[in-house]
Amino acid sequence: KAGVTQTPRYLIKTRGQQVTLSCSPISGHRSVSWYQQTPGQGLQFLFEYFSETQRNKGNFPGRFSGRQFSNSRSEMNVSTLELGDSALYLCASSLDRASYNEQFFGPGTRLTVL
Amino acid sequence: QQQVKQSPQSLIVQKGGISIINCAYENTAFDYFPWYQQFPGKGPALLIAIRPDVSEKKEGRFTISFNKSAKQFSLHIMDSQPGDSATYFCAGAGTALIFGKGTTLSVSS
């Protein structure tokens, strides 16, 4: 079956702009989590959605937001982009509670903020 | 977020040798400890995982050793191969997955 897909794969934005990233989970998976990966901070948890509800949120400013649709697809939005937002944004899906089930990661969206 | 500390940051091992990566955690509420493997340009993939009621788990050449009292766990890769060259992340899971900062493993042939 198809894996987790993320679009776009690469994105270049300028400071102050906003960006929306998309994630389609594996068919049947209801939990979607988002992570930010940078060389300095590693993989950091952003938030988790299950059944269209945000279940958990990491320590990121309110500029980072997300949502999940009824088909489990998820989007994350970053407003007022800063240079430090340049990172690989990874989406992961799992059958149920993300913490207890294997999370399948997508290839990520590489965001560059100029 | 509670930290997971991972060491070493990088590791070079000869083909056929043993690779050892160590992690320590703070949050005693963690009840699931996975290891992920990531190749360049790819997302992380689950390699092996353990629950704290088990002291060791082995899958092929990969073994997790878990010490609950010390709040430490480690990944051993036996007979390391060049194809094992990747970045490895440990993690602790409670209400979210908290990752270590990763270890870049290079296996030289």
Side-chain angles (χ1 to χ4, degrees):
Chain A
K1 63 185 171 183
V4 177
T5 58
Q6 292 187 244
T7 56
R9 291 292 312 277
Y10 302 91
L11 206 48
I12 300 175
K13 292 285 187 179
T14 56
R15 279 181 301 173
Q17 288 186 310
Q18 74 166 16
V19 66
T20 299
L21 312 181
S22 181
C23 171
S24 292
I26 291 172
S27 178
H29 283 196
R30 299 164 65 194
S31 175
V32 173
S33 297
W34 288 89
Y35 296 85
Q36 181 194 65
Q37 186 174 22
T38 59
Q41 297 300 317
L43 276 156
Q44 291 187 288
F45 172 73
L46 279 158
F47 27 66
E48 178 200 353
Y49 285 87
F50 178 78
S51 293
E52 302 178 65
T53 302
Q54 187 180 90
R55 295 181 47 160
N56 203 358
K57 189 178 188 327
N59 189 26
F60 278 82
R63 299 185 297 106
F64 292 81
S65 63
R67 58 178 175 169
Q68 186 180 34
F69 302 95
S70 58
N71 61 359
S72 295
R73 189 177 70 85
S74 178
E75 291 181 345
M76 69 162 281
N77 184 276
V78 188
S79 62
T80 318
L81 284 166
E82 301 178 358
L83 295 178
D85 297 334
S86 294
L88 180 68
Y89 290 89
L90 291 158
C91 163
S93 77
S94 61
L95 277 170
D96 200 335
R97 290 185 61 185
S99 300
Y100 291 87
N101 290 277
E102 177 179 351
Q103 289 197 5
F104 292 85
F105 281 82
T109 294
R110 173 74 62 185
L111 171 64
T112 301
V113 182
L114 303 176
Chain B
Q1 290 175 350
Q2 298 293 324
Q3 281 189 316
V4 175
K5 296 182 180 179
Q6 183 172 347
S7 63
Q9 187 175 352
S10 61
L11 185 59
I12 299 174
V13 173
Q14 293 275 354
K15 180 182 175 182
I18 302 174
S19 303
I20 302 174
I21 304 170
N22 301 299
C23 286
Y25 64 97
E26 299 173 357
N27 189 346
T28 55
F30 287 160
D31 59 0
Y32 177 70
F33 298 89
W35 285 87
Y36 280 81
Q37 180 189 55
Q38 185 178 28
F39 292 103
K42 304 285 187 183
L46 181 66
L47 187 63
I48 186 173
I50 197 168
R51 296 199 183 276
D53 54 347
V54 176
S55 61
E56 184 175 284
K57 183 175 182 181
K58 183 176 181 180
E59 290 184 0
R61 297 185 294 109
F62 302 90
T63 301
I64 300 177
S65 297
F66 188 85
N67 186 329
K68 187 174 181 178
S69 61
K71 294 190 285 185
Q72 295 176 345
F73 59 111
S74 60
L75 175 69
H76 291 63
I77 305 174
M78 312 300 288
D79 187 26
S80 298
Q81 299 297 313
D84 296 331
S85 298
T87 300
Y88 293 81
F89 295 92
C90 62
T95 56
L97 267 182
I98 306 302
F99 286 88
K101 292 199 173 184
T103 296
T104 301
L105 171 65
S106 296
V107 181
S108 60
S109 53

